[in-house]
């Protein structure tokens, strides 16, 4: 057996550390590493360009095709970047340029659909006819009225159409101007009667000689909002309903103000129902009373006509001096009663007499015109509920409730009657009841889940792209780059027994070796040098197979083993 050791003198190859690490990768691992590096580079560039991209805001929305084309052409001329949204109905520009671009476009009269007022008069050109000037003035007036109406909080947009007839001094009866207003209200908002009347008077006061009845207001659904002769009854009914509600609320508030100090706030509930009489009654009565009874009637006129021959004795006997005597002097008393007709004062019979008496008395006549007031209370009905008295049990300390004594209930009922002006003749009724209130509160509506809140959804949309890119980057890093880097990493240094000449000799020896004598079990035999070398080699191969593999690999590649 030869004990010579083969000495290997191989010069190390000069390679960089990265090249050496890259050489440890196979072809598939190199492809994965390249793809991972490109993916990470793409993600980094996406983050970079996304951070530099400006935020776009709406410049104009709901534009017509004509206005949209004009605005886009002007934006291209001004070198302002823009985007389309909502199918081209909205134009978006960078957020920091929205107000600047709007002002610059407004100076050029864009969009054309915007409301323009009397600034149209400033663009009068030379040679305009009288009709064109009048039409421009009408358009300017319509624009100014539109701006005024759109300033209302409930109005989203408005259109005003004026009918201004041509005034001619040769016409005996001039036509009166009229106006029509189309309103588009914000969702969920309405205009009350006072606001509609305000818009009507605003338009009527802005146009000379316009009657408020000539102004028509229509909403976007086609409903007539302004008053009309056919709709006056509906307006009157609404006013009556509002007046009735005000009367009921007034009586209810009176009851609460009177009872709450006795039982405490929140321990009394009251409702008053009022029947109102809105009928307008006007009647005239004429009464005639006969002149009967103890009181004499008043004489209006009296006429007495008397006709007769006065009482005198006729001459009788032989004609002569005696028979031709004048009549005797009257003997009727001055203050006495008149003699009856046909009877003289001396009792002689008169020849003939006639007496007529006409007396006209005043007839009683009463003319009464009664006009009853509208909106009187016909009947009141009040319902009052009072809670039980609350207290605390002295023994248990728990809250208790006890009913109110009947005497106090009667007193409060009388107090309510006096408060509302109870009138038994018109059928008023008051009902006061004492009962415990139910203190259970209604179940509150469950709050929506956190992922359904609008703010959280908006935050999720804004973070979706960055989070997705980060997840993609981690997937590429862990799935493609990290395994390749682990393979490229140099193996950890292994502390191994240095290769001695004896080990080299053992490795270089031929495989055929003489058999060793079996040790005797009874006696302890010291291993020989060959046996010791073989045991060391086996132990090294078992304990550190990587080192042995590197040694063999170094021999194959012609490198000096470490």
């Amino acid at each position: 057996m030869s004990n010579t050791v083969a000495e290997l003198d191989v010069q190390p190859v000069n390679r960089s550390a990265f090249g050496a690490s890259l050489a440890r990768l196979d072809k598939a691992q190199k492809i994965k590493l390249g793809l991972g590096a490109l993916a990470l580079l793409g993600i980094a560039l996406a983050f970079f360009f996304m951070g530099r991209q400006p935020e776009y805001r709406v410049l104009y929305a709901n534009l017509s095709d004509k206005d949209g084309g004009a605005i886009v052409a002007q934006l291209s001329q001004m070198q302002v970047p823009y985007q389309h949204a909502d199918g081209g109905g909205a134009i978006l520009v960078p957020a920091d340029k929205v107000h600047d671009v709007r002002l610059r476009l407004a100076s050029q009269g864009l969009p054309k659909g915007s409301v323009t007022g009397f600034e149209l008069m400033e663009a009068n050109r030379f040679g305009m006819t009288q009709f064109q000037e009048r039409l421009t003035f009408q358009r300017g007036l319509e624009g100014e009225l539109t701006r005024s109406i759109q300033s209302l909080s409930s109005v989203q947009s408005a259109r005003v159409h004026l009918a201004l007839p041509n005034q001619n001094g040769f016409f005996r009866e001039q036509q009166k101007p009229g106006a029509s207003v189309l309103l588009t209200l914000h969702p969920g908002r309405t205009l009350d009667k006072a606001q509609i009347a305000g818009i009507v008077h605003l338009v009527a006061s802005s146009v000379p000689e316009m009657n408020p009845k000539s102004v028509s207001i229509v909403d976007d659904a086609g409903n007539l909002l302004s008053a009309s002769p056919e709709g006056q009854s509906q307006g009157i009914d609404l006013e009556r309903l509002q007046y009735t509600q005000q009367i009921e609320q007034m009586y209810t508030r009176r009851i609460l103000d009177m009872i709450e100090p006795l039982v405490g706030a929140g321990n009394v509930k009251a409702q008053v129902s009022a029947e109102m009489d809105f009928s307008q009654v006007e009647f005239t009565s004429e009464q005639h009373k006969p002149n009967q009874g103890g009181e004499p009637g008043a004489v209006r006129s009296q006429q007495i006509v008397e006709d007769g021959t006065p009482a005198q004795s006729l001459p009788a006997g032989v004609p002569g001096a005696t028979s031709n005597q004048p009549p005797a002097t009257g003997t009727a008393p001055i203050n006495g009663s008149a003699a009856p007709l046909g009877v003289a004062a001396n009792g002689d019979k008169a020849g003939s007499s006639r007496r007529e008496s006409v007396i006209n008395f005043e007839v009683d006549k009463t003319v009464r015109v009664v006009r009853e007031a509208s909106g009187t209370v016909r009947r009141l009905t009040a319902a009052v509920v009072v809670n039980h008295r609350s207290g605390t049990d002295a023994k248990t300390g728990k809250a208790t409730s006890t009913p109110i004594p009947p005497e106090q209930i009667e007193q409060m009922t009388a107090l309510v009657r006096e408060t509302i002006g109870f009138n038994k003749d018109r059928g008023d009724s008051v009902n006061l009841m004492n009962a415990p209130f139910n203190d259970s509160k209604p179940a509150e509506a469950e709050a929506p889940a956190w992922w359904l809140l609008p703010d959280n959804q908006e935050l999720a949309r804004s973070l979706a792209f960055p989070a997705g890119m980060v997840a993609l980057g981690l997937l590429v890093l862990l799935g493609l780059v990290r395994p390749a880097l682990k393979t490229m990493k140099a193996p950890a240094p292994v502390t191994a027994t240095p290769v001695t000449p004896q080990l080299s000799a053992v490795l270089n020896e031929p495989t055929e070796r003489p058999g060793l004598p079996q040790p005797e079990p009874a006696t302890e035999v010291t291993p020989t040098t060959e046996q010791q070398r073989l045991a060391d080699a086996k132990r090294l191969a078992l304990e550190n197979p990587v080192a042995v593999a590197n040694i063999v690999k170094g021999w194959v590649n012609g490198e000096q083993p470490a």
Side-chain angles (χ1 to χ4, degrees):
M1 184 178 61
S2 175
N3 294 330
T4 61
V5 178
E7 298 291 341
L8 298 176
D9 188 8
V10 180
Q11 299 294 333
V13 179
N14 294 328
R15 294 184 180 181
S16 62
F18 179 76
S21 301
L22 191 61
R24 296 188 182 96
L25 301 178
D26 55 6
K27 185 176 181 181
Q29 291 177 342
K30 290 180 180 179
I31 293 175
K32 291 181 180 180
L33 180 61
L35 293 177
L38 292 177
L40 291 178
L41 180 61
I43 294 173
L45 292 176
F47 269 106
F48 176 75
F49 287 108
M50 184 186 67
R52 294 189 60 184
Q53 185 178 5
E55 183 183 1
Y56 280 79
R57 295 287 180 85
V58 176
L59 178 65
Y60 291 110
N62 299 325
L63 292 173
S64 61
D65 295 338
K66 184 177 181 180
D67 288 342
I71 291 176
V72 167
Q74 194 63 32
L75 291 177
S76 301
Q77 185 177 356
M78 293 189 299
Q79 296 181 357
V80 176
Y82 62 89
Q83 293 180 357
H84 295 284
D86 298 334
I91 299 177
L92 291 78
V93 296
D96 56 344
K97 297 183 179 180
V98 171
H99 301 290
D100 184 28
V101 172
R102 283 180 181 174
L103 293 176
R104 295 172 64 181
L105 291 176
S107 64
Q108 301 177 8
L110 293 176
K112 297 293 185 180
S114 60
V115 180
T116 55
F118 283 131
E119 57 267 19
L120 291 174
M121 304 297 295
E122 300 176 358
N124 288 340
R125 61 183 183 274
F126 181 75
M128 289 183 63
T129 62
Q130 185 179 3
F131 173 76
Q132 292 175 342
E133 291 181 354
R134 187 165 57 87
L135 184 60
T136 303
F137 172 77
Q138 180 177 344
R139 290 180 55 196
L141 184 57
E142 291 176 351
E144 294 294 335
L145 290 174
T146 301
R147 288 175 178 174
S148 301
I149 296 174
Q150 287 181 352
S151 62
L152 299 178
S153 59
S154 300
V155 179
Q156 182 178 7
S157 62
R159 293 196 66 183
V160 179
H161 303 278
L162 298 178
L164 303 179
N166 187 12
Q167 301 296 333
N168 194 337
F170 295 100
F171 293 158
R172 179 174 298 177
E173 294 182 359
Q174 302 290 342
Q175 286 184 321
K176 300 297 182 180
S180 300
V181 182
L182 176 63
L183 299 179
T184 301
L185 304 179
H186 289 286
R189 298 187 183 181
T190 57
L191 293 175
D192 56 14
K193 188 176 181 180
Q195 291 175 326
I196 296 174
I199 296 175
V200 170
H201 285 277
L202 172 66
V203 177
S205 302
S206 302
V207 181
E209 299 183 1
M210 179 177 287
N211 192 344
K213 296 181 180 179
S214 301
V215 180
S216 301
I217 300 179
V218 183
D219 61 1
D220 53 354
N223 300 320
L224 182 63
L225 303 180
S226 58
S228 60
E230 294 79 6
Q232 288 181 357
S233 59
Q234 182 178 0
I236 294 176
D237 294 340
L238 182 60
E239 290 180 356
R240 292 177 179 177
L241 178 60
Q242 292 178 353
Y243 179 74
T244 304
Q245 291 177 351
Q246 292 176 0
I247 295 296
E248 294 175 351
Q249 293 174 2
M250 180 188 67
Y251 284 114
T252 303
R253 186 169 58 254
R254 286 182 179 181
I255 295 174
L256 295 178
D257 293 342
M258 191 62 65
I259 303 298
E260 278 187 350
L262 301 178
V263 298
N267 291 325
V268 57
K269 303 294 182 182
Q271 289 292 335
V272 177
S273 177
E275 294 183 8
M276 308 298 296
D277 185 8
F278 294 99
S279 59
Q280 296 181 356
V281 180
E282 182 178 355
F283 62 91
T284 303
S285 64
E286 184 175 354
Q287 299 178 356
H288 299 275
K289 295 182 179 179
N291 292 319
Q292 297 177 0
E295 297 182 359
V299 178
R300 182 175 60 180
S301 62
Q302 181 178 4
Q303 182 181 5
I304 299 176
V305 178
E306 293 183 357
D307 185 13
T309 302
Q312 56 182 343
S313 59
L314 298 177
V318 178
T322 305
S323 58
N324 291 331
Q325 297 294 327
T329 305
T331 59
I334 298 175
N335 296 326
S337 58
L341 295 176
V343 180
N346 53 6
D348 296 333
K349 296 292 184 179
S352 63
S353 63
R354 183 174 62 87
R355 183 180 182 182
E356 295 179 0
S357 178
V358 178
I359 301 176
N360 295 323
F361 294 92
E362 290 288 351
V363 180
D364 292 340
K365 179 180 180 182
T366 302
V367 178
R368 184 175 61 175
V369 178
V370 179
R371 183 176 298 171
E372 295 183 356
S374 175
T376 58
V377 179
R378 182 182 298 174
R379 184 171 181 267
L380 286 178
T381 303
V384 184
V385 180
V386 181
N387 191 13
H388 280 184
R389 290 180 176 177
S390 59
T392 305
D393 193 356
K395 297 181 179 179
T396 60
K398 296 181 179 180
T400 59
S401 61
T402 57
I404 299 177
E407 297 81 7
Q408 190 172 358
I409 293 294
E410 294 180 0
Q411 294 176 358
M412 288 190 293
T413 303
L415 190 61
V416 171
R417 290 177 179 173
E418 295 296 332
T419 302
I420 65 174
F422 180 82
N423 189 353
K424 185 177 180 181
D425 295 336
R426 67 185 182 188
D428 295 350
S429 64
V430 175
N431 186 6
L432 192 146
M433 184 181 67
N434 179 224
F437 287 2
N438 187 4
D439 296 334
S440 60
K441 298 181 179 180
E444 297 181 357
E446 297 182 358
W450 62 270
W451 61 82
L452 296 178
L453 297 177
D455 296 340
N456 295 338
Q457 291 181 354
E458 186 65 23
L459 180 61
R461 293 190 190 97
S462 61
L463 296 179
F465 181 77
M469 298 301 293
V470 170
L472 181 60
L474 291 177
L475 182 62
V476 172
L477 183 62
L478 297 178
L480 298 178
V481 179
R482 187 170 179 270
L485 294 178
K486 288 183 64 176
T487 306
M488 291 175 59
K489 186 177 180 181
V494 180
T495 304
T497 305
V499 181
T500 58
Q502 290 81 2
L503 181 58
S504 300
V506 171
L507 295 174
N508 293 330
E509 285 182 353
T511 56
E512 293 181 1
R513 295 184 177 87
L516 298 177
Q518 296 291 335
E520 296 179 1
T523 60
E524 183 178 356
V525 180
T526 303
T528 61
T529 305
E530 184 69 19
Q531 293 176 352
Q532 186 66 32
R533 292 176 180 176
L534 184 58
D536 293 341
K538 290 181 179 180
R539 186 175 65 253
L540 179 62
L542 292 175
E543 293 179 355
N544 198 345
V546 177
V548 176
N550 288 336
I551 293 172
V552 176
K553 185 177 179 181
W555 289 347
V556 174
N557 295 333
E559 298 177 353
Q560 184 68 25

